[in-house]
Amino acid sequence: QSALTQPRSVSGSPGQSVTISCTGTSSDVGGYNYVSWYQQHPGKAPKLMIYDVSKRPSGVPDRFSGSKSGNTASLTISGLQAEDEADYYCCSYAGSYVVFGGGTKLTVL
Amino acid sequence: QVQLQESGPGLVKPSQTLSLTCTVSGGSISSGSYYWSWIRQPAGKGLEWIGRIYTSGSTNYNPSLKSRVTISVDTSKNQFSLKLSSVTAADTAVYYCATDSSGYRLRYWGQGTLVTVSS
């Protein structure tokens, strides 16, 4: 199976909004409402930010939101803050296994 | 809250079997309904899902690794384990264990352990 497709990098200034896309197929992203997003700072374990396409775990700021249209899921971060600078990975259920995206580096300018 | 800690050899020779253990604290591995997963990340690269085992003992594996992977649970030690056979340098990575009650997300993660494959 192939990794989900994410842009290698995105950037934005503090206070702005950025959106990270995650494109799969009808066998993964498009076939299930089970997309999750993870934030990873250098040298740290990933942290769950969004699950089931658009749900936020407790403790995750509401600046983080998720959506999906067809085979593409998106993570939007509004009101960018310096601490949001990190790598972001999407992840989708694919029937009997799980597939990650290649990751997107978010730079806060 | 569930806490996870990976352990195992940091260096494995090519063609040998990589063996890692994830110790669970803050709860019993045999109670409730949880998915116990392994994920890896080569240096500077993205995350790769390896596989998982459910509380019932059923397993799911990454199709690209399935022929070399075994994930099992040891309830007496409150641990679950990963075995990856016939390793090569391409298997060098930080290996994470993770878990959640849902099979569609990974809420709890270990800190990760680096495994290097080299002679």
Side-chain angles (χ1 to χ4, degrees):
Chain A
Q1 88 289 13
S2 300
L4 307 176
T5 301
Q6 299 181 232
R8 293 185 67 91
S9 64
V10 297
S11 62
S13 299
Q16 289 186 333
S17 294
V18 295
T19 297
I20 300 171
S21 61
C22 169
T23 301
T25 69
S26 58
S27 296
D28 38 63
V29 174
Y32 307 92
N33 288 322
Y34 296 129
V35 176
S36 53
W37 289 89
Y38 300 85
Q39 176 192 66
Q40 186 180 36
H41 287 109
K44 301 295 186 182
K47 175 186 176 183
L48 178 67
M49 304 302 284
I50 295 287
Y51 67 97
D52 293 356
V53 176
S54 60
K55 297 177 182 177
R56 275 188 315 275
S58 60
V60 173
D62 60 6
R63 302 185 294 104
F64 291 83
S65 62
S67 63
K68 191 187 87 166
S69 177
N71 296 337
T72 299
S74 299
L75 172 71
T76 297
I77 309 171
S78 58
L80 267 179
Q81 298 182 4
E83 59 261 36
D84 298 333
E85 184 163 294
D87 294 324
Y88 291 84
Y89 294 91
C90 62
C91 179
S92 176
Y93 181 67
S96 61
Y97 61 92
V98 169
V99 60
F100 281 97
T104 298
K105 180 175 181 56
L106 168 62
T107 300
V108 180
L109 301 171
Chain B
Q1 175 168 319
V2 176
Q3 294 184 311
L4 306 174
Q5 178 67 59
E6 306 89 349
S7 60
L11 181 64
V12 181
K13 288 181 166 51
S15 81
Q16 294 190 339
T17 296
L18 178 160
S19 296
L20 294 175
T21 295
C22 183
T23 300
V24 180
S25 58
S28 170
I29 199 169
S30 58
S31 67
S33 301
Y34 277 82
Y35 293 84
W36 308 98
S37 302
W38 288 96
I39 301 97
R40 70 181 183 179
Q41 184 173 36
K45 297 188 178 181
L47 301 169
E48 181 179 32
W49 184 80
I50 298 171
R52 66 187 183 189
I53 186 166
Y54 188 50
T55 303
S56 66
S58 64
T59 54
N60 297 117
Y61 297 129
N62 184 325
S64 65
L65 299 171
K66 187 174 183 177
S67 63
R68 299 194 292 130
V69 174
T70 302
I71 296 175
S72 60
V73 168
D74 186 338
T75 56
S76 67
K77 295 181 179 179
N78 223 34
Q79 296 174 336
F80 64 105
S81 299
L82 168 70
K83 291 187 185 300
L84 181 66
S85 63
S86 304
V87 297
T88 68
D91 295 309
T92 294
V94 173
Y95 285 75
Y96 294 98
C97 58
T99 189
D100 206 312
S101 56
S102 166
Y104 312 120
R105 64 184 186 226
L106 294 163
R107 189 189 302 259
Y108 305 105
W109 292 69
Q111 65 185 28
T113 187
L114 174 63
V115 178
T116 301
V117 179
S118 175
S119 56

